[in-house]
Amino acid sequence: MLKPENIPMLLVGLRFAIAPLLLLDAFDHHTGIAFVVGYVIAVLSDIFDGIIARRLGVSTERLRIADSWADISLYVCIAFSVWLVFPQTLSTFQMPLLVAVAAQLSLFAINLIKFQKLPSLHTYTAKIWGLTLLVATVGLFGFGNDQLVWLAIALCLINSVEEILMTLILPEWQCDVLSLAAAIQIRQTWRSP
């Protein structure tokens, strides 16, 4: 029988399972409504795993790290799906996308160097970026409209810069630090006797 405290991890697992199915759907260079529905379900699983975990008091470091890896898996599969189905979009946004990828890789590298772990901050800017990615991805795969890709790239850069600064400020690795202000407060508290 399913225990309520296992629901958040099952939702994370659902995202891990959906990600390669989306990529598989894109291999023929076409996607349909099933792709969009699968993607929306994956995003909803991302939203609700954290809400449910906090309400049940099971929001552990292990769960938050798994959540971050599921996000990475999902968006790597989405990126390859864009490459397969909408190569012209990648061409149009080539330079901004490369800057955004470089910013994310820099964030990962700084975290690995400082903490030997990938980031799992789950900031407000990451949440806004995630919603922007949802709208941009549904716009692209559902309607063939790539105009919101600009907004997703801009929010990626804002989030990356914020999380890089947070990583440099935080005295030790932590998950669920929601903002730069929260990281500064943690740093000040850490320095206090």
Side-chain angles (χ1 to χ4, degrees):
M1 184 166 163
L2 177 64
K3 295 179 181 178
E5 60 268 18
N6 293 333
I7 292 172
M9 191 57 86
L10 286 173
L11 290 171
V12 170
L14 176 64
R15 202 155 60 258
F16 271 119
I18 289 174
L21 294 176
L22 295 175
L23 182 58
L24 186 63
D25 184 32
F27 265 110
D28 65 354
H29 305 283
H30 299 283
T31 56
I33 190 69
F35 185 96
V36 174
V37 169
Y39 173 70
V40 169
I41 290 170
V43 171
L44 290 174
S45 80
D46 188 23
I47 293 168
F48 286 106
D49 67 1
I51 292 170
I52 294 169
R54 284 187 292 280
R55 291 228 172 120
L56 294 175
V58 295
S59 185
T60 63
E61 180 179 314
R62 179 175 165 254
L63 176 66
R64 302 312 281 157
I65 291 171
D67 177 66
S68 294
W69 278 106
D71 290 345
I72 291 168
S73 171
L74 176 64
Y75 287 105
V76 165
C77 288
I78 291 295
F80 279 110
S81 296
V82 172
W83 176 63
L84 290 166
V85 180
F86 297 102
Q88 73 282 0
T89 297
L90 289 182
S91 179
T92 300
F93 295 96
Q94 181 178 2
M95 285 311 296
L97 284 170
L98 288 173
V99 171
V101 168
Q104 279 289 290
L105 292 175
S106 296
L107 169 63
F108 293 165
I110 291 167
N111 266 270
L112 287 170
I113 290 166
K114 184 169 182 181
F115 300 126
Q116 293 76 51
K117 290 184 181 183
L118 289 175
S120 190
L121 295 167
H122 299 97
T123 58
Y124 291 126
T125 58
K127 294 174 192 316
I128 295 167
W129 176 32
L131 291 174
T132 307
L133 280 171
L134 169 64
V135 174
T137 303
V138 169
L140 184 61
F141 284 93
F143 304 98
N145 184 335
D146 64 5
Q147 294 306 303
L148 291 173
V149 172
W150 281 112
L151 186 58
I153 292 169
L155 282 160
C156 172
L157 292 171
I158 290 167
N159 172 255
S160 297
V161 169
E162 180 187 43
E163 290 196 16
I164 287 169
L165 291 172
M166 291 171 70
T167 300
L168 296 173
I169 289 168
L170 287 169
E172 58 190 12
W173 186 92
Q174 293 188 14
C175 60
D176 297 331
V177 181
L178 298 176
S179 67
L180 182 57
I184 292 169
Q185 186 175 24
I186 290 167
R187 180 67 180 209
Q188 290 170 342
T189 304
W190 186 71
R191 285 184 175 172
S192 299

